[in-house]
Amino acid sequence: MSIRRPSSDERLPTIPWPWRLATLAGGHTRGLAALAAVAGVALLVGLGLGSAERELACERPGPGRATPATPVTPATLAAVRVTPGSEAAWAEVRVRAIDVWSDHDEETTIDVVLDPAGLEWLRREGLAFAVLVPDIEAVATAEHARLADVAIAKPPAPGEWFTEYRDLDTIHAHLEDLARLRPDLAQVETIGTSLEGRPLRAIRIHGPAERRAGMLIDSGLHAREWISMMVSTCVADRLVQGYDHDARLRSFVDAVELVVVPVANPDGYVHSWGRDRYWRKNRRGGHGVDLNRNFAVAWGRDGSSGNTASQVYRGAAPFSEPEAAALRDLVAAGGFTAHIDFHSYGQLLLHPWSYTRERSRDHRRLSGLAKDMAKAIKAEHGERYRLMPGESLYPASGTLMDWAYGEHGIPSFVIELRPRGGSGFVLPPAQIAPTCDEGLAAVLALGEGLVAQSPLAPE
Ligand code: 0X9
Ligand code: ZN
């Protein structure tokens, strides 16, 4: 069954996030407890339990939570996939949600974060739901502990770079390494400065052959979507390092000038690493602006909010945020004939429009390109990425994708990377490399589909 979600200016809730990673600076015991809880999640997923059983399992005190030495969190927060079944229930779920992680599955389900009272309400109402993550804090704590490991904190060995998530400085250093390795193919640029003064770094990759197309890849507009930063950095890495050995990569680099901005929201990313794993926006005023609601096409409309506390707060004006303005100026300088904005999660390939149900003038061409990308992705590891116009998932106004396409006629796509559901934003590091395979496959398919095609005229 497919229900149309009630129209609202706020897909994501306005309740301030009550939980901070900083409160988890516990010790070894908490780390172990968290690891045990993560093992519990893996077990639940591995067992493939039905939703009722998962729900029950969630009610039991987790291995690490039975008797905490000091109560450090107000409540255990769970990520659940709910099938509301009616518009009224949908609206109520959103009201009760502490955070919305994702809308998926042909509009029948929504992934939300709930506290125990919210879970209790779901049970009372008899709504169908499955627990994705019984304790999101425990999962974040386990990841934090793993990343703090001394071996991981060292500069990674070249062959191991993509075996783990990397922080902002390490990603930026890697771009410099690639440019040093092949100055003939790659140069690092600074396209702007974040609100808190961090550089917005880009790597420009091109071969010696005459340029035929220009492609922009950005990622990390949303701070908590760490796999997106890893994939775009990995795409740059594979193209530069594979140029001499792989004819297909060489042809791409010779035919397409590619600019990659791996961390489009550096302040948010640093905050997500150090303070709040599930932080989404930039850091404006402490409340943040959703950078993917700050662009000038359909700014302020459905699927964005004027409330600073909202996860989809659009900012005071289009391009009020320096991170969005830097991307605007980069694109306005010209030369791009394609764009991919990497996000997570859900395994989706979205094309314009995001803000309206109307079909774009280039709908067939855009969905054709998206189909090519989905096919190329599936050929890698058999994973299915579903394609649709962004609005079919839910309305979102002021997005980068709509602006690149609407203002500049650039075929533009959002790719929501792995997972389909599972652990949400905290994806196991073993999945970085296969997800990169999928991202690269999409980039190559798009590049090959575009070479020799002329840019679209703005609508
Ligand atoms: O809401 C967003 O900005 C993107 N999804 S995410 O879960 N990564 O936050 C998607 C924007 C694409 N457009 C629509 N879904 N309408
Ligand atoms: Zn996102």
Side-chain angles (χ1 to χ4, degrees):
M1 183 199 56
S2 176
I3 58 166
R4 185 80 198 157
R5 283 183 305 286
S7 169
S8 163
D9 76 331
E10 291 179 14
R11 181 179 72 90
L12 300 178
T14 57
I15 302 165
W17 189 249
W19 168 89
R20 294 288 177 268
L21 197 61
T23 64
L24 306 174
H28 190 56
T29 321
R30 282 198 57 77
L32 286 178
L35 283 169
V38 173
V41 179
L43 194 66
L44 288 175
V45 172
L47 287 172
L49 296 176
S51 59
E53 289 150 305
R54 280 189 222 166
E55 184 188 338
L56 271 177
C58 176
E59 283 175 350
R60 293 182 204 119
R65 303 201 313 265
T67 49
T70 43
V72 291
T73 52
T76 300
L77 301 176
V80 293
R81 179 160 290 185
V82 186
T83 309
S86 72
E87 291 197 1
W90 199 290
E92 186 65 19
V93 169
R94 286 160 44 96
V95 166
R96 301 216 172 231
I98 283 160
D99 195 1
V100 175
W101 275 11
S102 218
D103 291 88
H104 291 301
D105 233 10
E106 318 290 359
E107 302 185 336
T108 59
T109 65
I110 183 168
D111 296 354
V112 290
V113 173
L114 293 173
D115 61 13
L119 281 174
E120 186 47 42
W121 172 80
L122 277 185
R123 278 189 285 267
R124 258 201 330 270
E125 294 293 310
L127 297 185
F129 72 97
V131 175
L132 296 174
V133 186
D135 185 343
I136 65 167
E137 173 210 327
V139 170
T141 307
E143 183 189 55
H144 194 69
R146 195 187 76 231
L147 291 168
D149 188 285
V150 185
I152 289 166
K154 276 187 204 156
E160 288 172 6
W161 210 91
F162 294 99
T163 60
E164 189 49 276
Y165 291 91
R166 305 299 172 191
D167 64 16
L168 179 72
D169 289 345
T170 310
I171 290 175
H172 284 170
H174 195 65
L175 301 185
E176 300 286 356
D177 286 347
L178 291 174
R180 248 192 311 274
L181 191 70
R182 291 302 301 258
D184 55 328
L185 298 180
Q187 296 85 41
V188 174
E189 301 171 7
T190 300
I191 64 158
T193 306
S194 73
L195 200 65
E196 293 179 346
R198 296 186 175 88
L200 292 157
R201 296 250 197 262
I203 186 163
R204 189 177 290 268
I205 300 168
H206 56 89
E210 195 183 320
R211 190 182 137 205
R212 291 160 75 185
M215 189 187 290
L216 172 64
I217 293 176
D218 77 281
S219 51
L221 274 179
H222 292 146
R224 62 193 178 183
E225 299 167 9
W226 291 11
I227 186 61
S228 71
M229 297 76 157
M230 296 306 293
V231 163
S232 63
T233 306
C234 178
V235 166
D237 180 280
R238 297 254 183 108
L239 290 171
V240 171
Q241 305 228 46
Y243 185 83
D244 282 348
H245 323 289
D246 183 319
R248 191 174 175 213
L249 297 181
R250 188 163 57 249
S251 302
F252 177 92
V253 173
D254 283 344
V256 178
E257 181 164 327
L258 177 69
V259 177
V260 181
V261 184
V263 191
N265 174 13
D267 300 345
Y269 192 49
V270 166
H271 193 71
S272 177
W273 267 73
R275 306 284 296 186
D276 180 348
R277 176 62 180 85
Y278 298 102
W279 186 260
R280 170 182 167 95
K281 301 182 278 183
N282 77 352
R283 292 292 300 150
R284 167 76 66 188
H287 52 71
V289 169
D290 182 354
L291 296 175
N292 208 25
R293 301 295 184 275
N294 194 235
F295 289 79
V297 163
W299 182 86
R301 291 171 62 174
D302 205 18
S304 73
S305 173
N307 181 342
T308 56
S310 168
Q311 289 281 45
V312 289
Y313 174 54
R314 62 179 81 106
F319 300 116
S320 57
E321 304 313 296
E323 299 86 358
L327 287 167
R328 173 198 62 197
D329 296 344
L330 176 68
V331 173
F336 294 114
T337 48
H339 167 236
I340 296 176
D341 179 20
F342 280 114
H343 288 251
S344 74
Y345 59 96
Q347 300 187 193
L348 298 161
L349 266 155
L350 307 175
H351 54 87
W353 298 107
S354 256
Y355 78 97
T356 174
R357 298 184 85 177
E358 269 172 42
R359 279 194 160 198
S360 69
R361 195 177 58 192
D362 303 291
H363 178 88
R364 284 183 60 177
R365 183 175 167 208
L366 295 172
S367 62
L369 289 166
K371 199 180 258 172
D372 293 345
M373 286 192 268
K375 210 170 138 200
I377 288 172
K378 187 149 188 285
E380 290 297 316
H381 301 286
E383 288 294 324
R384 219 163 61 85
Y385 281 51
R386 290 180 303 118
L387 52 115
M388 64 188 83
E391 205 280 343
S392 298
L393 197 62
Y394 54 81
S397 308
T399 65
L400 172 54
M401 175 174 80
D402 279 1
W403 177 80
Y405 172 65
E407 183 73 24
H408 292 282
I410 298 170
S412 178
F413 303 88
V414 163
I415 301 186
E416 301 275 3
L417 295 160
R418 293 189 192 193
R420 195 189 297 282
S423 53
F425 302 110
V426 183
L427 186 68
Q431 292 202 36
I432 295 171
T435 312
C436 173
D437 297 338
E438 292 163 0
L440 180 62
V443 169
L444 294 177
L446 181 59
E448 288 160 5
L450 280 171
V451 166
Q453 289 185 20
S454 54
L456 304 174
E459 275 205 352

